[in-house]
Each structure stands twice: as structure tokens, then as C-alpha cells.
Amino acid sequence: MGNVEPSHAFFADKLEQAKIHFERALDCKHTEFDDLYPYMIEHPQFFWYKRYVAWSELLTIVKLAVELEMPWTEHFTDRQAEYIRNRVMSSKVLDYWYETNESKEHVG
């Protein structure tokens, strides 16, 4: 194989796919992971593991983009980008990935 110059469009597409994969896992929607391990659906830890796999994929794509000095933060909100920079998928990431100011409930 010769030198292959990765394009910004290629990484932008891979980053978008990884983001969608993570968000589908976060929402407990079908992903290709379900097809690879259909028996796992019967186990309670399945959804946590599925999210972990998708999160790892997202972090890997972002790491490659950073190493290649390609922009990645524009695909995420500021809060999401900060979660990715912190690299730890905590309950905070799971609970607030989609949070917007409009979604906050007010007690009154």
C-alpha cells in the first residue's frame, strides 16, 4: 500500500456514522452490534455493553481525527465535545447527551 492521504470528507463521514451509532445505542435502537450478537439481547448487561462499544468507536474516530489534525468538534454541541474530551462514559453522558435549554423542566 502506498501513502494514502485521508480526506476531511472521509473522516467527517466516519465521525458522523460513529455519532449516529452511539446515539442509536444510547436510545436502545437497533445497531449492527445487534446483528453480530443477537443472543446478547436476552442479557441485562447487553445495553450497557452495546453503549460502551459505540462510545469506544466514537472515541477512536475522534482520536484519529485529532492525530491527523482534522476538525471534529463542529459535529457536536459544546457539552458533547467536552464529554468526548473527558473520554469517560459516565451516567452524566448517558443522561445529558441530548440536553438542551428547552428540555429543562420548570417546577412552578
Side-chain angles (χ1 to χ4, degrees):
M1 283 179 110
N3 276 343
V4 176
E5 191 68 33
S7 71
H8 288 275
F10 173 82
F11 267 85
D13 180 57
K14 293 300 176 189
L15 189 58
E16 191 60 30
Q17 288 176 23
K19 180 182 179 190
I20 290 168
H21 184 209
F22 175 68
E23 290 177 347
R24 289 188 64 79
L26 193 62
D27 296 340
C28 299
K29 292 182 178 177
H30 184 86
T31 69
E32 61 187 46
F33 188 76
D34 298 282
D35 297 333
L36 293 171
Y37 302 101
Y39 60 88
M40 288 289 290
I41 294 172
E42 300 168 9
H43 300 282
Q45 72 273 20
F46 171 72
F47 291 108
W48 175 254
Y49 188 69
K50 179 177 167 175
R51 290 171 181 160
Y52 171 78
V53 168
W55 180 248
S56 296
E57 176 187 21
L58 182 60
L59 292 181
T60 300
I61 300 296
V62 167
K63 182 180 178 183
L64 288 171
V66 168
E67 288 177 8
L68 294 167
E69 299 178 357
M70 295 186 167
W72 64 272
T73 56
E74 66 225 20
H75 297 270
F76 302 93
T77 66
D78 290 341
R79 181 176 293 155
Q80 290 170 342
E82 189 59 31
Y83 293 150
I84 292 168
R85 282 187 199 98
N86 290 336
R87 302 186 54 84
V88 176
M89 185 178 63
S90 65
S91 59
K92 190 176 191 178
V93 173
L94 298 175
D95 290 342
Y96 299 111
W97 182 261
Y98 294 115
E99 184 181 16
T100 63
N101 289 335
E102 296 80 35
S103 68
K104 292 183 180 176
E105 294 182 18
H106 299 281
V107 178

